[in-house]
Protein backbone atom coordinates (compact mmCIF):
# COMPACT_ATOMS: atom_id res chain seq x y z
CA UNK A 1 0.00 0.00 0.00
CA UNK A 2 1.12 3.56 -0.69
CA UNK A 3 2.55 5.60 2.17
CA UNK A 4 3.63 2.54 4.08
CA UNK A 5 7.08 1.32 5.00
CA UNK A 6 8.50 -1.97 6.18
CA UNK A 7 9.34 -2.38 9.86
CA UNK A 8 9.87 -6.14 10.09
CA UNK A 9 9.85 -9.38 8.17
CA UNK A 10 8.60 -12.37 10.15
CA UNK A 11 8.49 -15.90 8.68
CA UNK A 12 8.86 -14.42 5.20
CA UNK A 13 5.95 -11.99 5.69
CA UNK A 14 6.54 -8.24 5.48
CA UNK A 15 5.10 -6.20 8.33
CA UNK A 16 4.43 -2.70 6.97
CA UNK A 17 3.36 0.38 8.88
CA UNK A 18 1.23 3.08 7.30
CA UNK A 19 2.50 6.64 7.57
CA UNK A 20 -0.61 7.67 9.54
CA UNK A 21 0.38 5.15 12.22
CA UNK A 22 2.38 7.93 13.89
CA UNK A 23 -0.99 9.43 14.93
CA UNK A 24 -1.79 6.61 17.32
CA UNK A 25 1.66 6.81 18.91
CA UNK A 26 1.12 10.55 19.35
CA UNK A 27 -2.31 9.90 20.91
CA UNK A 28 -0.69 7.47 23.38
CA UNK A 29 1.99 10.02 24.24
CA UNK A 30 -0.55 12.81 24.65
CA UNK A 31 -2.79 10.76 26.90
CA UNK A 32 0.00 10.05 29.39
CA UNK A 33 1.85 13.37 29.19
CA UNK A 34 -0.98 15.29 30.89
CA UNK A 35 -0.34 13.85 34.35
CA UNK A 36 3.18 12.53 34.00
CA UNK A 37 4.99 15.00 31.77
CA UNK A 38 7.75 14.02 29.37
CA UNK A 39 8.28 10.67 31.08
CA UNK A 40 4.57 9.96 30.66
CA UNK A 41 4.72 10.87 26.97
CA UNK A 42 7.53 8.38 26.39
CA UNK A 43 5.66 5.75 28.38
CA UNK A 44 2.42 6.33 26.43
CA UNK A 45 4.22 6.07 23.10
CA UNK A 46 5.94 2.85 24.20
CA UNK A 47 2.58 1.39 25.33
CA UNK A 48 1.09 2.06 21.88
CA UNK A 49 4.06 0.43 20.16
CA UNK A 50 3.73 -2.60 22.44
CA UNK A 51 -0.03 -2.75 21.75
CA UNK A 52 0.58 -2.74 18.01
CA UNK A 53 3.24 -5.42 18.36
CA UNK A 54 0.40 -7.53 19.83
CA UNK A 55 -1.84 -6.54 16.89
CA UNK A 56 0.91 -7.57 14.45
CA UNK A 57 1.18 -10.95 16.20
CA UNK A 58 -2.63 -11.31 15.91
CA UNK A 59 -2.35 -10.76 12.14
CA UNK A 60 0.61 -13.12 12.00
CA UNK A 61 -1.64 -15.77 13.57
CA UNK A 62 -4.15 -15.35 10.72
CA UNK A 63 -1.35 -15.26 8.15
CA UNK A 64 0.50 -18.39 9.20
CA UNK A 65 -2.64 -20.52 9.36
CA UNK A 66 -3.82 -19.08 6.03
CA UNK A 67 -0.49 -19.95 4.43
CA UNK A 68 -0.78 -23.45 5.86
CA UNK A 69 -4.03 -23.76 3.85
CA UNK A 70 -2.47 -22.57 0.60
CA UNK A 71 -3.34 -18.86 0.63
CA UNK A 72 -0.72 -16.26 -0.22
CA UNK A 73 0.05 -13.56 2.35
CA UNK A 74 0.90 -10.32 0.59
CA UNK A 75 1.70 -8.29 3.71
CA UNK A 76 0.65 -7.37 7.20
CA UNK A 77 -0.25 -3.70 7.35
CA UNK A 78 -0.55 -1.72 10.57
CA UNK A 79 -2.93 1.26 10.51
CA UNK A 80 -3.90 3.59 13.37
CA UNK A 81 -7.22 1.75 13.78
CA UNK A 82 -5.74 -1.75 13.72
CA UNK A 83 -3.95 -4.33 11.64
CA UNK A 84 -4.80 -6.01 8.36
CA UNK A 85 -3.44 -9.25 6.92
CA UNK A 86 -3.62 -8.98 3.14
CA UNK A 87 -4.44 -12.48 1.90
CA UNK A 88 -4.74 -13.51 -1.72
CA UNK A 89 -7.15 -16.29 -2.57
CA UNK A 90 -9.86 -17.66 -0.34
CA UNK A 91 -10.09 -20.59 2.02
CA UNK A 92 -11.12 -23.73 0.16
CA UNK A 93 -13.29 -25.14 2.92
CA UNK A 94 -15.38 -23.51 5.66
CA UNK A 95 -13.25 -25.32 8.23
CA UNK A 96 -10.16 -23.55 6.88
CA UNK A 97 -11.87 -20.15 7.14
CA UNK A 98 -12.92 -21.02 10.69
CA UNK A 99 -9.37 -21.92 11.73
CA UNK A 100 -7.81 -18.89 9.99
CA UNK A 101 -10.32 -16.61 11.73
CA UNK A 102 -9.77 -18.18 15.17
CA UNK A 103 -5.97 -18.00 14.88
CA UNK A 104 -5.89 -14.19 15.37
CA UNK A 105 -7.84 -13.94 18.63
CA UNK A 106 -6.14 -17.15 19.82
CA UNK A 107 -2.81 -15.28 19.72
CA UNK A 108 -4.27 -12.56 22.00
CA UNK A 109 -5.66 -15.18 24.36
CA UNK A 110 -2.20 -16.79 24.53
CA UNK A 111 -0.55 -13.39 25.10
CA UNK A 112 -3.10 -12.56 27.82
CA UNK A 113 -2.44 -15.91 29.50
CA UNK A 114 1.32 -15.30 29.42
CA UNK A 115 0.87 -11.75 30.79
CA UNK A 116 -1.45 -13.05 33.51
CA UNK A 117 1.25 -15.50 34.55
CA UNK A 118 4.02 -12.87 34.51
CA UNK A 119 1.88 -10.37 36.44
CA UNK A 120 0.98 -13.10 38.92
CA UNK A 121 4.60 -14.14 39.47
CA UNK A 122 5.70 -10.51 39.94
CA UNK A 123 2.82 -9.89 42.38
CA UNK A 124 1.35 -7.13 40.18
CA UNK A 125 -2.20 -8.47 39.91
CA UNK A 126 -3.70 -6.60 42.92
CA UNK A 127 -2.92 -3.35 41.02
CA UNK A 128 -5.45 -4.31 38.35
CA UNK A 129 -8.36 -2.77 40.24
CA UNK A 130 -6.82 0.71 40.50
CA UNK A 131 -5.37 0.75 36.99
CA UNK A 132 -6.15 4.04 35.30
CA UNK A 133 -4.73 7.38 34.39
CA UNK A 134 -3.73 7.89 38.02
CA UNK A 135 -1.25 5.01 37.99
CA UNK A 136 2.15 6.28 37.03
CA UNK A 137 4.46 4.95 34.34
CA UNK A 138 5.91 1.72 35.67
CA UNK A 139 6.56 -1.87 34.62
CA UNK A 140 3.51 -2.90 36.66
CA UNK A 141 1.24 -0.43 34.86
CA UNK A 142 2.58 -1.52 31.47
CA UNK A 143 2.18 -5.24 32.07
CA UNK A 144 -1.30 -4.91 33.54
CA UNK A 145 -2.38 -2.54 30.75
CA UNK A 146 -1.16 -4.97 28.08
CA UNK A 147 -2.98 -7.83 29.83
CA UNK A 148 -6.22 -5.83 29.61
CA UNK A 149 -5.52 -4.78 26.02
CA UNK A 150 -5.00 -8.34 24.81
CA UNK A 151 -8.18 -9.49 26.54
CA UNK A 152 -10.03 -6.60 24.87
CA UNK A 153 -8.54 -7.45 21.46
CA UNK A 154 -9.64 -11.08 21.75
CA UNK A 155 -13.16 -10.15 22.89
CA UNK A 156 -13.70 -7.32 20.37
CA UNK A 157 -12.52 -9.37 17.40
CA UNK A 158 -14.78 -12.25 18.35
CA UNK A 159 -17.92 -10.06 18.08
CA UNK A 160 -19.91 -12.02 15.45
CA UNK A 161 -20.05 -9.13 12.97
CA UNK A 162 -18.61 -9.81 9.53
CA UNK A 163 -15.86 -8.82 8.61
CA UNK A 164 -14.56 -9.13 12.20
CA UNK A 165 -13.04 -12.51 13.05
CA UNK A 166 -16.14 -13.54 15.01
CA UNK A 167 -18.25 -12.83 11.91
CA UNK A 168 -15.98 -15.06 9.83
CA UNK A 169 -16.31 -17.82 12.41
CA UNK A 170 -20.10 -17.39 12.23
CA UNK A 171 -20.08 -17.44 8.41
CA UNK A 172 -17.86 -20.53 8.30
CA UNK A 173 -20.16 -22.31 10.76
CA UNK A 174 -23.27 -21.37 8.78
CA UNK A 175 -21.53 -22.35 5.52
CA UNK A 176 -21.25 -25.91 6.73
CA UNK A 177 -25.03 -26.00 7.13
CA UNK A 178 -26.48 -23.84 4.31
CA UNK A 179 -23.63 -23.19 1.85
CA UNK A 180 -21.44 -20.11 1.39
CA UNK A 181 -23.94 -17.84 -0.42
CA UNK A 182 -26.68 -17.96 2.22
CA UNK A 183 -24.15 -18.09 5.04
CA UNK A 184 -22.52 -14.88 3.80
CA UNK A 185 -25.76 -12.97 3.40
CA UNK A 186 -26.92 -14.06 6.87
CA UNK A 187 -23.57 -13.24 8.49
CA UNK A 188 -23.39 -9.89 6.65
CA UNK A 189 -26.92 -8.98 7.81
CA UNK A 190 -26.12 -9.87 11.42
CA UNK A 191 -22.85 -7.92 11.09
CA UNK A 192 -24.67 -4.83 9.92
CA UNK A 193 -27.26 -4.98 12.70
CA UNK A 194 -24.46 -5.23 15.26
CA UNK A 195 -22.55 -2.41 13.51
CA UNK A 196 -25.60 -0.11 13.74
CA UNK A 197 -26.03 -0.97 17.43
CA UNK A 198 -22.32 -0.34 18.09
CA UNK A 199 -22.51 2.95 16.20
CA UNK A 200 -25.47 4.12 18.29
CA UNK A 201 -23.71 3.08 21.49
CA UNK A 202 -20.51 4.82 20.37
CA UNK A 203 -22.35 8.07 19.64
CA UNK A 204 -24.22 8.04 22.95
CA UNK A 205 -21.08 7.27 24.95
CA UNK A 206 -18.88 9.61 22.91
CA UNK A 207 -16.43 6.94 21.64
CA UNK A 208 -15.59 8.43 18.27
CA UNK A 209 -13.04 5.77 17.36
CA UNK A 210 -15.59 3.03 18.03
CA UNK A 211 -18.13 4.92 15.88
CA UNK A 212 -15.62 4.99 13.05
CA UNK A 213 -14.80 1.29 13.45
CA UNK A 214 -18.49 0.33 13.45
CA UNK A 215 -18.89 2.29 10.22
CA UNK A 216 -16.02 0.26 8.73
CA UNK A 217 -17.65 -2.97 9.92
CA UNK A 218 -20.93 -1.95 8.25
CA UNK A 219 -19.18 -1.21 4.92
CA UNK A 220 -17.01 -4.32 5.25
CA UNK A 221 -20.13 -6.49 5.57
CA UNK A 222 -21.55 -4.98 2.35
CA UNK A 223 -18.24 -5.69 0.63
CA UNK A 224 -18.27 -9.31 1.80
CA UNK A 225 -21.81 -9.70 0.47
CA UNK A 226 -20.86 -8.20 -2.91
CA UNK A 227 -17.77 -10.39 -3.21
CA UNK A 228 -19.74 -13.52 -2.42
CA UNK A 229 -22.45 -12.57 -4.92
CA UNK A 230 -19.78 -11.97 -7.57
CA UNK A 231 -18.30 -15.35 -6.80
CA UNK A 232 -21.70 -17.03 -7.16
CA UNK A 233 -22.37 -15.31 -10.49
CA UNK A 234 -18.90 -15.79 -11.95
CA UNK A 235 -18.60 -19.34 -10.67
CA UNK A 236 -21.24 -20.45 -13.20
CA UNK A 237 -19.69 -18.86 -16.28
CA UNK A 238 -16.81 -20.45 -18.22
CA UNK A 239 -13.91 -18.26 -19.38
CA UNK A 240 -14.66 -19.37 -22.95
CA UNK A 241 -17.84 -17.29 -22.81
CA UNK A 242 -16.36 -13.98 -21.79
CA UNK A 243 -13.21 -13.40 -23.83
CA UNK A 244 -13.21 -10.73 -26.51
CA UNK A 245 -13.99 -12.45 -29.84
CA UNK A 246 -13.38 -9.40 -31.99
CA UNK A 247 -10.18 -8.37 -30.35
CA UNK A 248 -7.59 -6.38 -32.25
CA UNK A 249 -4.18 -7.99 -31.89
CA UNK A 250 -0.85 -6.21 -32.19
CA UNK A 251 2.28 -7.34 -33.95
CA UNK A 252 5.65 -7.04 -32.17
CA UNK A 253 6.74 -4.35 -34.61
CA UNK A 254 3.65 -2.16 -34.13
CA UNK A 255 4.30 1.07 -32.26
CA UNK A 256 2.80 2.28 -28.98
CA UNK A 257 1.05 5.03 -30.96
CA UNK A 258 -0.82 2.33 -32.94
CA UNK A 259 -2.09 0.81 -29.69
CA UNK A 260 -3.09 4.27 -28.43
CA UNK A 261 -5.07 4.80 -31.64
CA UNK A 262 -6.94 1.51 -31.06
CA UNK A 263 -7.75 2.45 -27.46
CA UNK A 264 -9.06 5.81 -28.66
CA UNK A 265 -11.29 4.37 -31.38
CA UNK A 266 -12.56 1.10 -29.85
CA UNK A 267 -13.65 -0.19 -26.43
CA UNK A 268 -10.60 -2.43 -26.25
CA UNK A 269 -8.00 -1.61 -23.62
CA UNK A 270 -5.65 -4.60 -23.57
CA UNK A 271 -3.91 -6.19 -26.55
CA UNK A 272 -2.34 -9.54 -27.23
CA UNK A 273 0.90 -9.23 -29.16
CA UNK A 274 0.78 -12.06 -31.69
CA UNK A 275 3.52 -13.81 -33.61
CA UNK A 276 2.53 -16.62 -35.97
CA UNK A 277 -0.84 -17.11 -34.30
CA UNK A 278 0.57 -17.33 -30.78
CA UNK A 279 0.43 -14.59 -28.12
CA UNK A 280 4.01 -13.74 -27.12
CA UNK A 281 3.08 -10.85 -24.85
CA UNK A 282 0.39 -8.48 -23.62
CA UNK A 283 0.18 -4.70 -23.78
CA UNK A 284 -2.30 -3.09 -21.39
CA UNK A 285 -3.84 0.38 -21.36
CA UNK A 286 -1.70 1.22 -18.32
CA UNK A 287 1.46 0.23 -20.25
CA UNK A 288 0.41 2.40 -23.20
CA UNK A 289 -0.32 5.44 -21.04
CA UNK A 290 2.95 5.08 -19.15
CA UNK A 291 4.89 4.87 -22.43
CA UNK A 292 3.07 7.89 -23.86
CA UNK A 293 3.76 9.90 -20.72
CA UNK A 294 7.46 9.10 -21.08
CA UNK A 295 7.37 10.26 -24.68
CA UNK A 296 7.91 6.74 -26.00
CA UNK A 297 4.95 6.75 -28.41
CA UNK A 298 7.08 5.63 -31.32
CA UNK A 299 8.66 2.72 -29.41
CA UNK A 300 8.04 -0.83 -30.63
CA UNK A 301 5.38 -2.79 -28.80
CA UNK A 302 7.83 -5.71 -28.49
CA UNK A 303 10.05 -3.67 -26.18
CA UNK A 304 7.25 -2.67 -23.78
CA UNK A 305 4.88 -5.64 -23.68
CA UNK A 306 4.54 -7.93 -20.67
CA UNK A 307 6.18 -11.18 -21.68
CA UNK A 308 4.51 -13.35 -19.09
CA UNK A 309 1.10 -14.39 -20.37
CA UNK A 310 -0.94 -16.31 -17.81
CA UNK A 311 -2.93 -19.11 -19.51
CA UNK A 312 -6.35 -20.45 -18.51
CA UNK A 313 -8.49 -23.18 -20.06
CA UNK A 314 -11.76 -22.08 -21.69
CA UNK A 315 -13.69 -24.39 -19.36
CA UNK A 316 -12.40 -22.73 -16.17
CA UNK A 317 -14.98 -20.55 -14.42
CA UNK A 318 -14.62 -16.75 -14.33
CA UNK A 319 -14.40 -17.04 -10.56
CA UNK A 320 -11.28 -19.16 -10.96
CA UNK A 321 -9.96 -16.65 -13.52
CA UNK A 322 -10.48 -13.82 -11.01
CA UNK A 323 -8.62 -15.80 -8.37
CA UNK A 324 -5.75 -16.47 -10.78
CA UNK A 325 -5.53 -12.79 -11.77
CA UNK A 326 -5.34 -11.83 -8.13
CA UNK A 327 -2.76 -14.51 -7.26
CA UNK A 328 -0.50 -13.71 -10.21
CA UNK A 329 -1.16 -9.94 -9.98
CA UNK A 330 -1.93 -9.81 -13.68
CA UNK A 331 -4.55 -7.57 -15.33
CA UNK A 332 -5.12 -10.01 -18.23
CA UNK A 333 -5.11 -13.76 -18.88
CA UNK A 334 -5.01 -15.65 -22.18
CA UNK A 335 -7.85 -18.13 -22.75
CA UNK A 336 -6.96 -21.42 -24.45
CA UNK A 337 -9.03 -24.26 -25.80
CA UNK A 338 -6.49 -27.03 -25.37
CA UNK A 339 -3.48 -25.69 -27.26
CA UNK A 340 -5.49 -23.26 -29.35
CA UNK A 341 -5.36 -19.60 -28.30
CA UNK A 342 -8.81 -17.98 -28.16
CA UNK A 343 -8.40 -14.48 -26.73
CA UNK A 344 -7.78 -12.33 -23.66
CA UNK A 345 -9.86 -11.67 -20.58
CA UNK A 346 -9.07 -8.47 -18.67
CA UNK A 347 -10.28 -6.90 -15.43
CA UNK A 348 -12.64 -4.81 -17.58
CA UNK A 349 -14.08 -7.93 -19.21
CA UNK A 350 -14.67 -9.44 -15.74
CA UNK A 351 -16.46 -6.30 -14.54
CA UNK A 352 -18.53 -6.31 -17.73
CA UNK A 353 -19.43 -9.98 -17.31
CA UNK A 354 -20.44 -9.35 -13.71
CA UNK A 355 -22.61 -6.38 -14.62
CA UNK A 356 -24.42 -8.20 -17.42
CA UNK A 357 -24.69 -11.67 -15.91
CA UNK A 358 -26.44 -10.48 -12.77
CA UNK A 359 -29.43 -9.47 -14.91
CA UNK A 360 -29.83 -12.94 -16.38
CA UNK A 361 -32.96 -14.83 -15.31
CA UNK A 362 -33.18 -16.85 -12.07
CA UNK A 363 -31.58 -18.47 -10.17
CA UNK A 364 -29.23 -15.51 -10.28
CA UNK A 365 -30.66 -12.33 -8.85
CA UNK A 366 -29.77 -8.69 -9.21
CA UNK A 367 -27.91 -6.25 -7.04
CA UNK A 368 -24.75 -4.28 -7.37
CA UNK A 369 -21.59 -6.31 -7.11
CA UNK A 370 -18.45 -4.29 -7.35
CA UNK A 371 -15.45 -6.47 -6.79
CA UNK A 372 -14.69 -9.80 -8.39
CA UNK A 373 -11.13 -10.44 -7.28
CA UNK A 374 -10.98 -12.60 -4.17
CA UNK A 375 -8.59 -10.42 -2.22
CA UNK A 376 -9.47 -10.55 1.43
CA UNK A 377 -8.43 -8.25 4.23
CA UNK A 378 -8.40 -9.96 7.58
CA UNK A 379 -8.46 -7.67 10.54
ZN1 LIG B 1 -8.26 -10.86 13.29
Amino acid sequence: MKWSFKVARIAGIDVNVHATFGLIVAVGALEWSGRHGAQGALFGAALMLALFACVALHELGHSLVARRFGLTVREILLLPIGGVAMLVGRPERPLHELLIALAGPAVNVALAAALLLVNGVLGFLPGLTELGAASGPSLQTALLWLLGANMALAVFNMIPALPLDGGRVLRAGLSMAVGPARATSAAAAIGQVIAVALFAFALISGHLVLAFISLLVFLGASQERATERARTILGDVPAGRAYNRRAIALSPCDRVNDAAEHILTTYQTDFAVMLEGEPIGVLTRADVIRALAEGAGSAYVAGLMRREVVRVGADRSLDEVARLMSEKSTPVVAVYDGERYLGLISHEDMAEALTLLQFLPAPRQGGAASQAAPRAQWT
Side-chain angles (χ1 to χ4, degrees):
M1 189 181 256
K2 269 187 183 174
W3 295 101
S4 67
F5 50 91
K6 189 163 123 182
V7 286
R9 188 173 168 84
I10 308 168
I13 299 166
D14 285 345
V15 180
N16 298 322
V17 165
H18 196 261
T20 55
F21 183 78
L23 281 174
I24 198 72
V25 180
V27 166
L30 217 63
E31 199 164 315
W32 285 80
S33 67
R35 273 171 196 264
H36 307 290
Q39 198 197 358
L42 271 177
F43 182 75
L47 270 191
M48 279 302 166
L49 291 177
L51 171 66
F52 274 78
C54 296
V55 171
L57 290 172
H58 170 113
E59 302 307 334
L60 194 67
H62 289 310
S63 302
L64 293 179
V65 176
R67 200 160 66 178
R68 169 85 179 67
F69 292 132
L71 281 77
T72 304
V73 183
R74 195 151 281 169
E75 61 170 338
I76 290 172
L77 181 65
L78 298 179
L79 297 156
I81 53 153
V84 178
M86 302 283 196
L87 306 181
V88 179
R90 55 167 50 237
E92 249 169 53
R93 293 166 48 195
L95 180 65
H96 295 178
E97 174 170 41
L98 187 99
L99 293 175
I100 296 170
L102 285 176
V107 168
N108 297 115
V109 170
L111 285 170
L115 283 162
L116 188 66
L117 191 72
V118 172
N119 278 302
V121 168
L122 294 175
F124 287 170
L125 283 177
L128 199 56
T129 44
E130 60 243 35
L131 190 67
S135 20
S138 69
L139 182 66
Q140 179 176 20
T141 306
L143 289 177
L144 287 175
W145 189 87
L146 282 173
L147 167 62
N150 274 286
M151 282 166 30
L153 280 174
V155 169
F156 179 77
N157 280 290
M158 284 307 288
I159 293 175
L162 204 64
L164 295 180
D165 296 331
R168 294 187 191 276
V169 169
L170 174 69
R171 192 234 319 256
L174 289 172
S175 272
M176 293 175 194
V178 299
R182 287 171 66 193
T184 300
S185 66
I190 293 169
Q192 290 186 321
V193 169
I194 293 175
V196 169
L198 270 181
F199 187 75
F201 167 76
L203 282 193
I204 292 165
S205 60
H207 283 94
L208 289 183
V209 175
L210 183 62
F212 183 61
I213 289 174
S214 52
L215 205 64
L216 290 184
V217 169
F218 189 90
L219 296 174
S222 306
Q223 181 64 53
E224 291 283 338
R225 191 188 283 127
T227 305
E228 183 58 37
R229 189 174 286 147
R231 199 172 85 92
T232 311
I233 294 171
L234 297 179
D236 285 345
V237 184
R241 195 175 160 196
Y243 71 89
N244 184 353
R245 264 148 245 240
R246 304 195 181 162
I248 299 162
L250 298 175
S251 126
C253 47
D254 281 338
R255 315 250 180 187
V256 171
N257 282 334
D258 299 326
E261 197 63 31
H262 291 314
I263 294 175
L264 200 62
T265 54
T266 69
Y267 286 115
Q268 194 175 333
T269 52
D270 308 295
F271 303 87
V273 181
M274 304 290 289
L275 187 67
E276 293 166 1
E278 269 295 303
I280 57 164
V282 170
L283 194 71
T284 67
R285 183 173 175 275
D287 303 330
V288 171
I289 289 171
R290 198 175 317 118
L292 290 178
E294 289 166 4
S298 59
Y300 289 115
V301 159
L304 288 163
M305 66 187 188
R306 297 157 192 247
R307 283 162 200 284
E308 271 176 44
V309 186
V310 177
R311 292 171 67 145
V312 290
D315 56 342
R316 303 285 291 277
S317 74
L318 287 183
D319 176 46
E320 288 175 89
V321 173
R323 188 180 324 180
L324 201 65
M325 279 179 162
S326 167
E327 275 169 21
K328 307 263 182 196
S329 297
T330 175
V332 276
V333 295
V335 183
Y336 279 77
D337 179 16
E339 283 304 304
R340 190 165 63 94
Y341 169 71
L342 296 177
L344 297 179
I345 292 186
S346 66
H347 274 315
E348 283 79 12
D349 296 326
M350 300 289 287
E352 197 74 76
L354 194 56
T355 310
L356 294 175
L357 290 168
Q358 66 182 316
F359 296 115
L360 285 183
R364 304 180 197 107
Q365 280 168 3
S370 58
Q371 196 185 0
R375 186 171 302 182
Q377 299 184 352
W378 292 64
T379 53

